[in-house]
Amino acid sequence: MRTPDDLIEKSGWRGPGRHRSPQRDRLNEIDALRITAAVAVMTYHYVFSGYAGGASPLSFPVAGELARFGYLGVDLFFMISGFVVLLSAWERRPRVFVVSRVVRLYPAFWVAVTITTVVSVTLSLGRYPVTVVQYLANLTMFNALPDIPNVDVVYWTLWAEIRFYALIFILTWIGVTRSRVTGMLWGWMALTFLLQSGVLPASVHSVADLVVQSQFSHYFIAGMALCVVYRSGLSWNLGMIIVVCLGNAVYRGVEFADKVGTRYHTEIMAGVVVAVIIGIFLVMALIALRVTRNLGRPWFAVAGALTYPLYLIHAHVGFVIFTRLGDKMQPHLLLITTMAVMGLVAYAIHTLIERPLAPVLKQALNGRSSTT
């Protein structure tokens, strides 16, 4: 879930024998993928999991057969993060990287948490209670450490992202190079398989997995490997990393699909899950190999900029709208209207909060007037 600024490589070196302007290296295709993933997740919540989990009175039995696979948009988000966060961190100093992440993540998040809290407390009929401590803890994004619940169900991915950023921060500290990134990726994969083997004691496993994130590490790892491919070309070493990650993504994806099916008392067809995961890897590989460069359009960046606020704001607020208006409007009309409203709210957050506040916050964190 990245801003278009993250999709421009900061290094002046553009690969073997290539020197490109930043404008030509803007990855508009990634913006298209990001908004696609966000809409997939929103559709999953509104059309399938909301009703199946008892959070929404609206039932869409036919559309739900397809929408149930929308949770895989999160898998795509994680791979995109691996790609673009490493790309934006290359040759950046650690402080600059941290400031860029804070500026990117927090303004929209603070607004989304506040809106969701107000709606939950005043309109959810007690379904989504939020305490003052819970609200304040959520504003930090570190509420998972003291095991304080998220204000909205979708915020769990932000904790995963922050832990990934910590690893990238270490890379920026020691210096990001192709060999160091490759070595880190092999080590990360080895730790992933160690945790998956189940040989570690439960207490050690839980602590180690805070860093390793074995459930989704293959997406971050593959995204980072594809970033290196994008910068300097494909090699057997990187190819092996990507293939191993794909295999593990399929294995863990089928396993996770069973859990989703059990949670909602239905079936998530493994064949579709496998096909979607392979598709995610294939599309990202084509982007890394620069095959899709002519498909990107500048206006994709406008839609991509709405991805983060749309993801943050849609879930509980949408469920409250459905609960309040479900017996007053035709279900499909209410669904389409709510999606449109969420898009407008995301646009407002981006234009009224993110864009004007970003330079102010960046200057405050840098302690001086500067550009990064």
Side-chain angles (χ1 to χ4, degrees):
M1 296 171 281
R2 305 276 74 81
T3 179
D5 291 339
D6 289 335
L7 307 182
I8 300 176
E9 189 172 359
K10 302 301 180 181
S11 170
W13 182 69
R14 306 296 178 187
R18 296 178 178 179
H19 298 275
R20 298 184 175 85
S21 67
Q23 181 64 32
R24 290 190 65 190
D25 253 4
R26 182 181 290 276
L27 294 171
N28 292 306
E29 314 96 293
I30 294 252
D31 282 306
L33 290 181
R34 290 170 61 229
I35 195 63
T36 299
V39 172
V41 173
M42 179 169 64
T43 304
Y44 167 76
H45 287 140
Y46 285 0
V47 178
F48 172 69
S49 72
Y51 180 77
S56 167
L58 303 186
S59 173
F60 304 95
V62 176
E65 292 296 318
L66 179 61
R68 66 184 59 203
F69 301 101
Y71 73 89
L72 291 164
V74 172
D75 300 46
L76 176 55
F77 273 137
F78 287 153
M79 185 176 284
I80 291 173
S81 289
F83 189 110
V84 301
V85 173
L86 178 60
L87 189 63
S88 69
W90 213 292
E91 297 189 357
R92 273 186 168 178
R93 300 185 305 276
R95 177 185 175 87
V96 174
F97 173 72
V98 171
V99 169
S100 73
R101 293 303 90 205
V102 171
V103 169
R104 175 63 188 115
L105 290 185
Y106 278 95
F109 181 69
W110 290 331
V111 174
V113 172
T114 301
I115 292 175
T116 302
T117 297
V118 171
V119 170
S120 297
V121 171
T122 61
L123 298 175
S124 75
L125 304 176
R127 180 183 293 274
Y128 305 117
V130 180
T131 67
V132 173
V133 171
Q134 183 184 4
Y135 167 70
L136 294 176
N138 269 250
L139 292 178
T140 69
M141 284 195 195
F142 287 88
N143 53 290
L145 284 176
D147 199 24
I148 296 175
N150 291 313
V151 167
D152 194 301
V153 64
V154 301
Y155 297 167
W156 71 270
T157 61
L158 299 178
W159 179 230
E161 292 276 356
I162 287 176
R163 286 178 284 163
F164 169 61
Y165 294 165
L167 296 178
I168 299 296
F169 172 79
I170 294 172
L171 270 177
T172 63
W173 192 270
I174 65 176
V176 185
T177 66
R178 179 185 175 110
S179 62
R180 287 170 182 164
V181 171
T182 304
M184 172 191 171
L185 297 183
W186 280 115
W188 195 353
M189 281 202 304
L191 291 173
T192 295
F193 287 115
L194 176 63
L195 290 177
Q196 287 180 189
S197 69
V199 299
L200 297 177
S203 58
V204 176
H205 183 285
S206 60
V207 173
D209 213 23
L210 283 174
V211 177
V212 176
Q213 303 197 69
S214 59
Q215 179 65 58
F216 298 104
S217 59
H218 37 265
Y219 291 117
F220 291 118
I221 294 169
M224 291 175 67
L226 288 168
C227 172
V228 181
V229 171
Y230 175 77
R231 280 182 55 93
S232 55
L234 183 62
S235 67
W236 284 106
N237 202 0
L238 292 170
M240 284 297 298
I241 290 174
I242 295 165
V243 169
V244 172
C245 284
L246 173 58
N248 201 46
V250 168
Y251 169 72
R252 296 304 298 265
V254 171
E255 180 184 71
F256 191 75
D258 286 339
K259 294 178 181 179
V260 174
T262 299
R263 181 189 310 162
Y264 295 117
H265 308 288
T266 188
E267 179 185 3
I268 307 295
M269 290 182 289
V272 177
V273 171
V274 171
V276 172
I277 292 173
I278 292 174
I280 289 172
F281 273 77
L282 178 60
V283 171
M284 290 297 296
L286 292 175
I287 291 174
L289 293 170
R290 304 177 186 269
V291 174
T292 61
R293 289 181 63 228
N294 293 330
L295 299 179
R297 297 293 181 270
W299 66 266
F300 290 172
V302 178
L306 305 184
T307 301
Y308 183 51
L310 178 63
Y311 179 83
L312 293 176
I313 200 67
H314 79 273
H316 283 188
V317 174
F319 293 151
V320 170
I321 292 173
F322 292 162
T323 299
R324 286 286 186 167
L325 301 179
D327 59 348
K328 298 178 176 63
M329 289 181 66
Q330 198 277 337
H332 291 86
L333 178 60
L334 180 56
L335 172 66
I336 294 171
T337 302
T338 302
M339 285 183 160
V341 169
M342 292 301 103
L344 291 174
V345 173
Y347 179 78
I349 292 174
H350 174 64
T351 56
L352 301 178
I353 304 298
E354 285 190 296
R355 288 202 307 200
L357 188 57
V360 176
L361 183 57
K362 181 184 290 187
Q363 181 174 332
L365 292 172
N366 284 327
R368 64 186 185 282
S369 179
S370 64
T371 59
T372 56

